Amino acid sequence: MKRKLSLGIAVVGGSKVLFLDEPTSGMDVEARRSVWDALLEIRHDRTIILTTHYMEEADILGDRIAIMAEGEVQCCGSPLFLKQKFGTGYHLHVVKDQKFHLDGLTSLLRKHVPEVTLGNELEKEISFNLASDTNSSFGDMFEELENQKRNFGVTSFGITVTTMEDVFLRVSTISDLKYKIPSDSDNKNGYSIQYEDVYGDSPGMNSYPKL
């Protein structure tokens, strides 16, 4: 209730610039959605600078998003720019049964989408990362998977697109590698991280120092 009151006081003053520090922290889902709706209504004639740990909140409210790690701004841009720059493409989620055949399913996926990597694996579910820049047809892949899912021990499957949470985790990983002391073992393992062009979608952003 204190956060709702503080937000109301900030908005009712009519200021053209609002600084909001985690305005929905501790709120339930319904209250958070109400705050989002209120901010979306007033953002057209105001500048709102907002900090948050909720990646969904940043994605919905942010025209531009800056991600901080290790005490520095690591990247900045529109949600679309960041997802294209740091996103992992699409995620295929598969519910498996006791007769699940990983090698056979992987071969089927790579026949249609060559750049397939294994994601998270749980007892009943497994995910695959599908590159978003591929020219392959997902329709043919889904059709074949639907027809042969019993042969691979697949109960059901679904697909999701890259989220801001995926982007944040990717940027955090790159940041860790950036501040890690370089060693010969890193070079042998193929680490080659580029820090240029991490700002996008705005004139003048190129004036920021390259990381």
Side-chain angles (χ1 to χ4, degrees):
M1 295 305 294
K2 289 182 179 179
R3 288 192 177 275
K4 294 179 183 179
L5 177 60
S6 297
L7 181 62
I9 293 173
V11 172
V12 75
S15 300
K16 293 300 181 181
V17 180
L18 296 178
F19 290 88
L20 305 179
D21 183 18
E22 300 186 40
T24 63
S25 178
M27 292 186 183
D28 58 63
V29 176
E30 183 177 2
R32 184 178 298 127
R33 293 283 179 172
S34 298
V35 171
W36 291 356
D37 291 339
L39 294 178
L40 288 173
E41 288 182 6
I42 68 172
R43 72 173 184 171
H44 301 291
D45 57 352
R46 305 189 190 195
T47 299
I48 301 176
I49 301 174
L50 179 148
T51 63
T52 181
H53 284 100
Y54 298 112
M55 295 299 101
E56 182 184 6
E57 182 170 84
D59 196 2
I60 292 176
L61 298 181
D63 295 318
R64 299 185 58 77
I65 299 173
I67 296 179
M68 292 190 65
E70 305 293 341
E72 294 183 0
V73 175
Q74 301 294 337
C75 58
C76 182
S78 68
L80 179 61
F81 169 80
L82 295 178
K83 288 177 181 179
Q84 290 177 342
K85 184 71 177 179
F86 301 103
T88 55
Y90 296 90
H91 304 292
L92 177 67
H93 303 275
V94 175
V95 178
K96 54 186 180 180
D97 60 21
Q98 296 179 351
K99 299 180 180 180
F100 179 68
H101 194 292
L102 177 60
D103 294 336
L105 177 59
T106 303
S107 298
L108 183 151
L109 297 177
R110 286 179 176 167
K111 183 172 69 174
H112 298 277
V113 184
E115 296 184 15
V116 174
T117 58
L118 183 64
N120 298 323
E121 183 174 8
L122 303 175
E123 182 180 358
K124 295 294 184 180
E125 184 176 332
I126 189 171
S127 65
F128 297 87
N129 300 323
L130 311 179
S132 59
D133 57 351
T134 179
N135 294 323
S136 303
S137 173
F138 284 173
D140 295 338
M141 180 186 70
F142 292 144
E143 183 177 0
E144 186 172 356
L145 179 57
E146 179 65 29
N147 294 333
Q148 299 190 33
K149 65 181 183 180
R150 291 186 178 179
N151 298 332
F152 298 127
V154 174
T155 303
S156 61
F157 60 90
I159 193 166
T160 58
V161 72
T162 291
T163 64
M164 284 306 302
E165 183 175 348
D166 297 325
V167 173
F168 178 81
L169 294 175
R170 178 78 182 279
V171 172
S172 297
T173 301
I174 294 176
S175 176
D176 291 340
L177 291 175
K178 172 186 172 182
Y179 288 99
K180 184 179 180 182
I181 299 175
S183 64
D184 293 337
S185 61
D186 290 341
N187 296 330
K188 292 179 182 179
N189 290 331
Y191 288 121
S192 178
I193 306 301
Q194 300 293 328
Y195 302 107
E196 297 83 1
D197 192 26
V198 292
Y199 301 101
D201 301 346
S202 177
M205 288 304 293
N206 292 330
S207 61
Y208 276 70
K210 294 182 179 180
L211 304 179

